[in-house]
């Protein structure tokens, strides 16, 4: 049985992991006969968004605690993530990837990946184990892999240009498809960067999961 690590960034599209993307990833992995374990940074979220009205809420929430909502409490601190225990890595999207795993949403010109996430992701890259990144999460790729790494966030040229400036070779991609960088063993899909409903997101995410497992 293939073992996959999943890095979450909270719970909720506007300030954490995109819930549909995370759950569809869990489902696709299970349907493909793979097992998974979830990890998240034990840090405060950048901020908390009221998902009803989109306004910033005056409260503090923890990324690890919020991520536990997605995986029914079965989540571990990312500092416990050991690449040698897994065959692959998958990172769902949502604004949490751009606010909590990195600061892409805050400083897109000079953004960085958080040290804990960077260390974990680079371990998989160094071991030449496959990884899957979806939605906005591919923004992390040029800070993890060598310049020229290939990936997609869909067809948003303005957003793609910001990531390309960091070293990503961006490839436009439809919502139900994936881009595979065979050299670096990376699979990316637009998911909710393009999806207008859960089924559209599911088509690309299922293809990403199958492709990542095929690269192991």
């Amino acid at each position: 049985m293939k073992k996959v690590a999943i890095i979450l960034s909270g719970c909720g599209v506007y300030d954490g992991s995109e819930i549909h993307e995370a759950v569809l990833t869990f489902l696709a992995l299970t349907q493909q006969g793979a097992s998974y374990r979830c990890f998240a940074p034990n840090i405060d979220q950048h901020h908390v968004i009221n998902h009803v009205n989109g306004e910033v809420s005056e409260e503090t929430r923890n990324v690890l605690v919020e991520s536990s909502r997605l995986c029914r409490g079965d989540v571990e601190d990312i500092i416990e993530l050991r690449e040698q225990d897994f065959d692959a890595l998958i990172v769902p999207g949502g604004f949490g990837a751009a606010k909590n795993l990195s600061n892409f949403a805050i400083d897109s010109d000079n953004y960085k990946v958080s040290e804990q996430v960077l260390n974990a992701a680079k371990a998989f890259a160094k071991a030449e184990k496959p990884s899957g990144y979806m939605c906005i999460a591919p923004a992390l790729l040029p800070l993890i892999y060598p310049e020229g790494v290939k990936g997609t966030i869909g067809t948003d040229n303005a957003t793609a240009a910001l990531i390309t400036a960091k070293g990503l070779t961006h490839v436009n991609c439809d919502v139900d498809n994936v881009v595979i960088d065979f050299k670096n063993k990376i699979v990316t899909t637009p998911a909710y960067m393009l999806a207008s409903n859960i089924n559209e997101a599911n088509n690309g995410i299922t293809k990403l999961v199958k492709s990542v497992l095929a690269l192991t």
Side-chain angles (χ1 to χ4, degrees):
M1 178 182 287
K2 302 295 184 182
K3 299 178 181 179
V4 179
I6 299 174
I7 295 179
L8 299 174
S9 58
C11 182
V13 58
Y14 299 126
D15 57 14
S17 293
E18 210 296 320
I19 294 173
H20 292 176
E21 291 178 4
V23 174
L24 289 171
T25 299
F26 303 160
L27 178 61
L29 285 166
T30 303
Q31 290 175 331
Q32 295 303 310
S35 67
Y36 63 86
R37 285 163 55 194
C38 295
F39 298 84
N42 187 10
I43 59 172
D44 287 341
Q45 292 181 187
H46 170 68
H47 59 197
V48 178
I49 298 293
N50 181 324
H51 279 58
V52 174
N53 57 26
E55 296 178 357
V56 176
S57 177
E58 295 301 321
E59 60 180 295
T60 300
R61 296 192 184 187
N62 178 279
V63 175
L64 179 66
V65 173
E66 290 300 294
S67 296
S68 71
R69 295 175 179 270
L70 277 172
C71 42
R72 300 171 65 87
D74 192 11
V75 66
E76 302 167 62
D77 192 322
I78 196 169
I79 64 173
E80 303 298 329
L81 175 52
R82 300 288 180 264
E83 158 276 319
Q84 57 267 33
D85 295 335
F86 299 93
D87 300 295
L89 170 71
I90 294 180
V91 184
F95 274 100
K99 294 177 179 179
N100 302 326
L101 304 186
S102 73
N103 65 341
F104 178 75
I106 293 90
D107 187 4
S108 57
D109 290 327
N110 301 290
Y111 72 96
K112 297 180 180 180
V113 178
S114 74
E115 184 177 359
Q116 292 178 353
V117 175
L118 189 64
N119 290 340
K122 278 193 169 183
F124 281 86
K126 184 177 181 180
E128 298 183 349
K129 292 185 176 181
S131 298
Y133 290 74
M134 63 190 72
C135 192
I136 196 59
L140 282 58
L141 292 176
L143 302 182
I144 298 167
Y145 292 86
E147 185 173 359
V149 57
K150 187 166 66 173
T152 189
I153 49 89
T155 58
D156 184 337
N157 292 331
T159 302
L162 296 169
I163 306 171
T164 299
K166 286 289 189 178
L168 181 78
T169 298
H170 186 265
V171 181
N172 282 353
C173 180
D174 294 332
V175 66
D176 61 349
N177 213 342
V178 298
V179 169
I180 303 177
D181 181 333
F182 287 99
K183 178 180 178 181
N184 293 298
K185 295 186 177 180
I186 300 167
V187 186
T188 52
T189 192
Y192 273 103
M193 289 295 288
L194 287 179
S196 60
N197 59 60
I198 193 170
N199 189 57
E200 287 185 353
N202 181 56
N203 291 335
I205 291 169
T206 297
K207 190 173 290 186
L208 177 144
V209 167
K210 288 181 178 178
S211 299
V212 166
L213 293 176
L215 289 172
T216 58

